[in-house]
Amino acid sequence: MFAVVRTGGKQYRVAAGDKIVVEKIEGDAGASVTLGDVLLAGEGSELRSVEGFTVAAEIIAQAKADKVIVFKKRRRHNYRRKNGHRQQHTILKIVSVGGHTAKSNEGETAQAAQA
């Protein structure tokens, strides 16, 4: 089973056991996170409904990307600026694809039925 999830403004195609590098997500190594913004899900060529669909992941590490050099120059004005930048990112291991979250309406009806 696979899913397409959106996190950090980017989309990733994931399956159970995959490792992906995403924009920084708060949490320590070993913590569990749930990616709830699922855009597409399916198995093989068959697609499924993504209503309430979630993807469970585990944080492997918090790391930094390679350094990017930013160099600005204006010709004939003796203007030169050099900066470096290292983007923070999180390495995730996908634990499971296909968990469902309870909708708020279903939770309210379940509580009303118990009362």
Side-chain angles (χ1 to χ4, degrees):
M1 169 162 277
F2 73 93
V4 176
V5 296
R6 179 173 37 208
T7 179
K10 298 179 183 77
Q11 298 174 10
Y12 303 90
R13 184 186 190 275
V14 297
D18 287 354
K19 291 182 183 176
I20 59 173
V21 177
V22 299
E23 294 290 321
K24 183 164 174 67
I25 296 174
E26 292 300 320
D28 296 327
S32 297
V33 293
T34 303
L35 305 174
D37 196 1
V38 179
L39 305 173
L40 182 75
E43 195 162 355
S45 62
E46 218 175 277
L47 297 179
R48 296 192 177 178
S49 171
V50 294
E51 188 127 355
F53 209 81
T54 60
V55 174
E58 178 184 348
I59 296 176
I60 295 176
Q62 301 284 4
K64 287 185 176 182
D66 293 336
K67 183 176 272 194
V68 176
I69 302 297
V70 179
F71 185 74
K72 299 178 181 180
K73 179 180 179 179
R74 294 198 181 131
R75 294 182 345 168
R76 299 182 295 274
H77 291 282
N78 195 27
Y79 176 86
R80 287 181 288 277
R81 302 290 183 265
K82 182 179 178 183
N83 283 317
H85 175 73
R86 292 186 71 187
Q87 185 70 31
Q88 301 266 343
H89 62 249
T90 302
I91 303 170
L92 295 177
K93 180 178 181 185
I94 305 301
V95 176
S96 67
V97 175
H100 287 279
T101 58
K103 293 201 292 188
S104 60
N105 293 343
E106 291 175 1
E108 292 172 5
T109 57
Q111 290 175 355
Q114 290 177 356

